Amino acid sequence: DTPNSGAPVSGMIGANGQESSIFDPNDEQSFEQHMYSSRQGQHKEEIIEVYAPAGKLGVVIDTPNSGALVVYNIKDTCPIADKLRVGDKLIAVDNEDVRSMTAPKVSKLISQKSKNRTRKFTVMRAIS
């Protein structure tokens, strides 16, 4: 995996036994539009803490342009879909700073914590 691989969060395993992505290539345009609109005059950001239950999350994180870790895709079955947004920047997992980590490394970290009763995700969100 490369840092720009759209690594799945929480260790989703495909039928072939390999880690798989829930990324839908058809969503790429909306993600690109989001990232473009996020750069247009929105410079204020807020920090949000999101608490996730044990188990798989159905969230894909990526590092577009080798930048910050961002929420790239959210599956309909994601238990925290109402709390996360595509484009949120992931800052920390259970208070561990992940800003310098690659998407695959953070995905592995989150997967290793999947049996914890709760996991805390700290994200930075652009506000208008």
Side-chain angles (χ1 to χ4, degrees), residues 3-95:
N4 293 327
S5 66
V9 173
S10 76
M12 290 173 254
I13 304 298
N16 61 1
Q18 298 294 314
E19 196 167 65
S20 66
S21 174
I22 60 165
F23 171 68
D24 180 353
N26 298 323
D27 289 341
E28 187 167 358
Q29 183 177 10
S30 63
F31 177 77
E32 294 300 326
Q33 288 171 344
H34 169 79
M35 292 307 292
Y36 176 77
S37 65
S38 292
R39 288 184 224 130
Q40 303 301 310
Q42 291 185 350
H43 298 289
K44 295 181 181 178
E45 296 179 314
E46 63 182 339
I47 293 178
I48 299 168
E49 294 178 347
V50 176
Y51 292 87
K56 292 183 179 182
L57 294 179
V59 175
V60 177
I61 56 173
D62 195 7
T63 49
N65 304 317
S66 299
L69 288 160
V70 296
V71 174
Y72 191 81
N73 194 359
I74 303 170
K75 193 173 181 179
D76 292 339
T77 58
C78 175
I80 54 174
D82 60 331
K83 296 174 179 74
L84 287 179
R85 294 185 190 161
V86 168
D88 282 349
K89 295 177 187 173
L90 186 59
I91 298 172
V93 176
D94 289 337
N95 296 322

Side-chain angles (χ1 to χ4, degrees), residues 91-121:
I91 298 172
V93 176
D94 289 337
N95 296 322
E96 182 177 341
D97 189 340
V98 297
R99 290 176 286 187
S100 64
M101 294 182 186
T102 64
K105 187 171 182 176
V106 173
S107 294
K108 185 175 182 177
L109 173 70
I110 293 168
S111 178
Q112 289 170 344
K113 295 174 177 280
S114 67
K115 292 183 180 175
N116 293 1
R117 194 168 59 84
T118 60
R119 291 164 285 173
K120 176 181 162 185
F121 297 94

